[in-house]
């Protein structure tokens, strides 16, 4: 970075186009893939927009994810440094504490086990399509299709009653809203944690065939830890895939040639899902890490104690890694994207999310070959205020 490049004062969140990261991030990446940035609390840290640099940091255990060390680019989130860590919330732990939880959970999310879920995921998908057909158009695709499928799947997998979905979806919305006051976020965390901890206590008395019961029976975690694990998996298990299904369908409807490939060529679906994951990069901001010691990345020396915020959206569009990456091209070999992260914190449920998308997108497009937006594209409400990007609603006709 040259002295002529001004330091970025705030992390850009405003998107000029629905499917693209903020233009400022692309401009910064073209200048230098790692640059100085001032955080919301005045901390002088770093912004990373380059693919190679982001991947290197995610793979380097000299960068910590512990909340008391992190500075946030979002003012409201900076106050969490002083918050006690929820038991079992292992995404905010470093090794070896993180390793302990990861080892216990990896066996629950093997590729083999996720493949065994395919018939049930297909059944859930078809039931949602049947309901859409019965109720008729217009419909909100988020409410009717994108949200129920992963919510039902993760509820069954964890052992959470689906009829309680309004509670956890409401609390999740508060947690992921970048503008939520810390008091509201604290209350939502406590409400959701209390609910899951109570559920774990019930399963200790009357176990069923699900992940929470299995963790209780395993005896290696306390009920408090299992409640925190459940909180993390429940939020991640429905929010991410639901927003990929909603935003991904929106992207396909505005790129009819790409939609046709997804709908008509079963052999192309796996790669098409990877390309949608790369192209949309729904993690709106971050992740953020803090250096535990001095580390050189991409020619820049990051000092111990300095926080680094990675833009996965900008990294996944880096022309050094994905030529012509600003275009959606479902024939592109998009494997290697960072949408599920990288390194020890790579998304535990990524294979489940992939299977859900590989089933849901083609099934939707084949059932409703004339699927189209019910409003102009500019009127689709976007989740610009949320940590997980997507659409709040997607009105469709068929």
């Amino acid at each position: 970075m040259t002295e002529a490049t001004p330091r970025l004062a705030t992390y850009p969140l405003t998107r000029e186009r629905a499917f693209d990261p903020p233009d400022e991030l692309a401009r910064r990446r073209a200048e230098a893939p790692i640059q100085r940035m001032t955080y919301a609390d005045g901390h002088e840290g770093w912004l990373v927009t380059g693919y190679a640099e982001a991947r290197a940091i995610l793979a380097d255990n000299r960068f910590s994810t512990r909340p008391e060390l992190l500075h946030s680019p979002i003012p409201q989130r900076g106050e969490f440094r002083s918050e006690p860590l929820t038991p079992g919330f292992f995404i905010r732990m470093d090794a070896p504490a993180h390793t302990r939880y990861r080892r216990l959970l990896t066996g629950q999310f093997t590729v083999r086990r996720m493949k065994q879920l395919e018939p049930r995921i297909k059944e859930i998908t078809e039931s949602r399509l049947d309901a859409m057909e019965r109720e008729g158009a217009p419909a909100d695709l988020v409410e009717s299709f994108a949200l129920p499928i992963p919510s039902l799947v993760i509820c069954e997998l964890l052992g959470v009653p689906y009829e309680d979905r309004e509670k956890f979806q409401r609390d999740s919305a508060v947690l992921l809203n970048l503008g939520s006051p810390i008091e509201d976020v604290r209350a939502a965390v406590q409400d959701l944690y209390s609910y899951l901890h109570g559920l774990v206590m019930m399963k200790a008395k009357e176990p069923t065939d699900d992940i929470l019961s299995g963790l209780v029976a395993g005896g290696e975690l306390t009920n408090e830890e299992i409640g925190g694990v459940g909180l993390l998996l429940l939020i991640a298990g429905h929010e991410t895939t639901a927003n990929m299904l909603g935003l991904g369908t929106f992207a396909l409807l505005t790129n009819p040639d790409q939609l046709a490939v997804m709908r008509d060529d079963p052999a192309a679906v796996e790669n098409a899902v990877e390309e949608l994951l790369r192209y949309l990069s729904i993690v709106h901001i971050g992740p953020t890490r803090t250096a535990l010691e001095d580390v050189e990345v991409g020619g820049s020396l990051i000092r111990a104690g300095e926080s680094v915020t990675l833009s996965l959206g900008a990294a996944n569009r880096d022309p050094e890694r994905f030529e012509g990456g600003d275009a959606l091209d479902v024939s592109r070999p998009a494997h290697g994207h960072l949408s599920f992260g990288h390194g020890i914190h790579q998304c535990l449920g990524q294979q489940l999310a992939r299977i859900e998308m590989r089933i849901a997108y083609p099934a939707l497009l084949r059932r409703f070959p004339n699927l189209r937006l019910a409003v102009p594209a500019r009127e689709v409400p976007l989740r610009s205020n949320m940590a997980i990007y997507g659409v709040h609603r997607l009105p469709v006709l068929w």
Side-chain angles (χ1 to χ4, degrees):
M1 182 177 69
T2 67
E3 290 300 323
T5 303
R7 181 169 298 190
L8 192 62
T10 56
Y11 187 94
L13 289 172
T14 302
R15 295 181 180 233
E16 290 77 12
R17 290 164 300 282
F19 309 119
D20 299 338
D23 286 350
E24 177 67 20
L25 294 172
R27 287 194 292 270
R28 292 281 166 169
R29 188 187 60 221
E31 294 168 355
I34 178 167
Q35 296 189 18
R36 278 292 196 177
M37 181 176 75
T38 302
Y39 283 66
D41 61 358
H43 174 74
E44 298 297 338
W46 299 85
L47 169 70
V48 175
T49 51
Y51 175 89
E53 292 76 13
R55 193 173 189 273
I57 289 170
L58 290 171
D60 195 329
N61 290 342
R62 292 174 294 176
F63 288 93
S64 174
T65 189
R66 286 157 46 201
E68 72 272 19
L69 301 178
L70 302 180
H71 297 265
S72 174
I74 304 297
Q76 291 88 339
R77 302 291 162 167
E79 300 176 63
F80 280 100
R81 297 187 74 200
S82 59
E83 293 290 305
L85 186 65
T86 302
F89 208 78
F90 61 94
I91 197 174
R92 286 289 175 255
M93 299 177 187
D94 297 337
H98 171 271
T99 310
R100 171 174 172 250
Y101 292 97
R102 187 83 181 197
R103 176 180 55 80
L104 289 173
L105 287 163
T106 296
Q108 305 287 347
F109 288 92
T110 61
V111 174
R112 182 173 175 269
R113 183 170 184 182
M114 295 304 101
K115 291 284 286 184
Q116 290 173 342
L117 289 173
E118 280 193 28
R120 179 59 180 146
I121 296 171
K122 288 178 180 177
E123 184 181 331
I124 291 171
T125 300
E126 291 301 320
S127 71
R128 293 314 310 160
L129 293 171
D130 291 343
M132 285 178 63
E133 203 160 26
R134 284 194 307 269
E135 293 162 11
D140 172 13
L141 193 78
V142 173
E143 181 180 0
S144 300
F145 186 78
L147 185 56
I149 292 172
S151 295
L152 269 162
V153 172
I154 197 64
C155 280
E156 291 188 6
L157 197 58
L158 288 177
V160 174
Y162 182 64
E163 55 266 27
D164 293 341
R165 64 190 179 278
E166 287 189 12
K167 168 186 281 293
F168 67 74
Q169 288 171 359
R170 180 180 63 249
D171 287 336
S172 294
V174 173
L175 295 177
L176 295 174
N177 190 317
L178 296 173
S180 291
I182 189 171
E183 295 81 9
D184 293 351
V185 174
R186 189 182 291 122
V189 170
Q190 185 56 48
D191 185 46
L192 194 52
Y193 176 74
S194 296
Y195 165 73
L196 283 158
H197 181 252
L199 195 60
V200 170
M201 297 294 286
M202 290 173 54
K203 290 179 183 297
K205 298 176 182 177
E206 298 180 19
T208 49
D209 184 18
D210 52 63
I211 287 177
L212 294 182
S213 295
L215 291 173
V216 171
E220 295 190 59
L221 299 177
T222 66
N223 289 342
E224 290 74 20
E225 289 175 305
I226 298 170
V229 168
L231 185 156
L232 174 59
L233 296 180
L234 183 61
I235 296 173
H238 80 273
E239 278 284 350
T240 49
T241 306
N243 283 291
M244 271 303 304
L245 289 174
L247 188 64
T249 302
F250 184 22
L252 290 168
L253 290 174
T254 56
N255 290 271
D257 56 331
Q258 304 300 305
L259 183 152
V261 175
M262 175 74 88
R263 182 190 62 217
D264 300 335
D265 185 359
V269 169
E270 179 176 335
N271 197 79
V273 165
E274 297 304 315
E275 170 66 354
L276 283 167
L277 285 162
R278 179 205 69 81
Y279 178 69
L280 297 173
S281 302
I282 60 170
V283 175
H284 197 186
I285 182 170
T288 296
R289 301 282 189 265
T290 295
L292 296 173
E293 59 184 81
D294 292 358
V295 185
E296 184 173 322
V297 179
S300 295
L301 181 62
I302 300 171
R303 298 286 186 184
E306 291 182 336
S307 284
V308 182
T309 294
L310 317 179
S311 170
L312 299 186
N316 278 338
R317 300 286 187 93
D318 188 343
E320 295 292 323
R321 177 61 178 81
F322 299 103
E323 186 177 355
D326 286 329
L328 176 64
D329 178 4
V330 297
S331 65
R332 180 199 312 275
H335 292 275
H337 61 75
L338 300 176
S339 295
F340 288 120
H342 183 63
I344 66 169
H345 289 286
Q346 192 171 33
C347 176
L348 190 63
Q350 60 181 290
Q351 297 306 328
L352 175 60
R354 285 184 166 106
I355 289 170
E356 290 172 330
M357 286 184 277
R358 290 169 189 168
I359 290 171
Y361 284 129
L364 171 69
L365 300 176
R366 289 170 192 156
R367 177 71 71 94
F368 302 116
N370 296 317
L371 190 73
R372 60 195 185 278
L373 294 176
V375 298
R378 66 180 180 277
E379 294 181 13
V380 173
L382 302 168
R383 289 169 53 101
S384 301
N385 60 329
M386 308 297 282
I388 302 298
Y389 188 64
V391 293
H392 286 293
R393 296 179 302 281
L394 189 66
V396 292
L397 300 166
W398 55 86

